[in-house]
Amino acid sequence: MSWEAARCALDPEAVRAALGDAGVAVIEGTDVSDAEFVAFLERLGPLTFTEGEASHPGQPKLNVVSNMGRKTKPRSVFHTDTSYVSRPPAFTALKAERIPEAGGETVFTNQFDALERLDAETQARLKGARVLHRVTGVNPGDGAETETWHPLLRRHPVSGRVALWLSTPERCVDLELADGSRVPQMVAELYAHSTDPAHHWRHRWKAGDIVIWDNRCTLHKADHSAVVGDRVLHRGMVGGEEPVAA
């Protein structure tokens, strides 16, 4: 593994700097309410919400990520949040509410690193490619966006670095190269490359933790394979821009 998350204070400028450098920021030992959590995220930008998901009953700008009351483990695969809309969220943040006795880590990959690990010939072939992202897992309702073409090689609006930007193959249903040829099977190959376990970084949750990541250059998933006890997190998302091709 060649990268890891940055540790920083609960300060918007420190978080922006950390995200621009590492893609994931960890803020330890916080003791903030949901209202304070929302107020902090709003200092990073206007909040957004995934249509079709249920909001937190006491805070409509947040939703709850929980394993409580479930007979089966929640399903989780590496993905970037809500990528099927024209302006996907820039940042996602989780605030720890209940930490399980064991397990329940959140796992990340760095997509700048994923692109750099491809050979030069493959990188050249992917220049100008685009991917069709389609909604999965939620029902956004009538009139909501459900699919969008996005560039596969995405230039970060702050750092200028280029990421290999895709999501789970269930959501990335087609891939078109710059010459117009369609090679949807490449999605699974690039996804497997991106999520190589040798290049994961895992966050082991502790009470008071807040973790924020940049959806423009990371993939993430929850590891539910060995959870013992209740796992409850509150989630907020900061809106983003239309992806820019590299």
Side-chain angles (χ1 to χ4, degrees):
M1 186 192 71
S2 59
W3 71 284
E4 61 180 29
R7 311 281 169 168
C8 64
L10 191 66
D11 172 81
E13 294 308 314
V15 167
R16 286 191 188 95
L19 292 173
D21 180 56
V24 183
V26 178
I27 307 165
E28 300 177 312
T30 68
D31 183 21
V32 299
S33 67
D34 285 334
E36 290 169 327
F37 183 44
V38 167
F40 172 74
L41 294 180
E42 287 179 327
R43 294 176 68 187
L44 296 174
L47 299 197
T48 188
F49 201 89
T50 300
E51 293 198 41
E53 291 189 339
S55 62
H56 185 296
Q59 178 50 260
K61 294 183 178 181
L62 303 178
N63 67 301
V64 180
V65 177
S66 173
N67 67 348
M68 293 180 64
R70 297 181 64 104
K71 296 182 179 179
T72 59
K73 295 176 182 177
R75 181 175 178 272
S76 183
V77 297
F78 278 107
H79 64 287
T80 185
D81 286 331
T82 323
S83 63
Y84 51 85
V85 299
S86 58
R87 297 170 64 92
F91 309 133
T92 299
L94 291 176
K95 178 168 73 81
E97 295 295 318
R98 296 191 186 183
I99 304 305
E101 298 169 34
E105 297 93 347
T106 304
V107 191
F108 297 91
T109 72
N110 184 301
Q111 294 303 105
F112 296 139
D113 174 71
L115 178 60
E116 292 166 1
R117 289 188 287 108
L118 290 173
D119 61 78
E121 182 180 352
T122 301
Q123 290 189 40
R125 187 184 183 201
L126 298 179
K127 183 76 172 179
R130 61 179 190 155
V131 174
L132 179 61
H133 295 246
R134 183 173 293 160
V135 64
T136 60
V138 296
N139 181 8
D142 294 341
E145 291 182 284
T146 59
E147 64 177 39
T148 308
W149 285 94
H150 287 308
L152 175 62
L153 303 188
R154 180 176 183 176
R155 188 171 301 281
H156 196 280
V158 177
S159 69
R161 296 179 67 189
V162 181
L164 180 63
W165 198 67
L166 71 169
S167 195
T168 167
E170 291 178 312
R171 182 164 289 177
C172 294
V173 297
D174 201 357
L175 190 156
E176 182 183 72
L177 298 177
D179 64 6
S181 58
R182 308 289 270 270
V183 284
Q185 68 275 11
M186 285 190 70
V187 170
E189 297 168 7
L190 294 170
Y191 182 78
H193 166 82
S194 295
T195 58
D196 179 347
H199 299 276
H200 291 178
W201 183 81
R202 305 175 71 88
H203 178 68
R204 294 173 173 83
W205 289 92
K206 301 187 298 297
D209 280 357
I210 292 175
V211 177
I212 305 177
W213 60 89
D214 192 323
N215 283 294
R216 300 168 293 197
C217 58
T218 61
L219 298 177
H220 67 279
K221 74 169 185 175
D223 185 352
H224 297 291
S225 61
V227 177
V228 178
D230 295 339
R231 181 182 188 272
V232 182
L233 304 152
H234 290 176
R235 184 182 80 157
M237 297 194 300
V238 177
E241 65 291 317
E242 291 186 14
V244 174

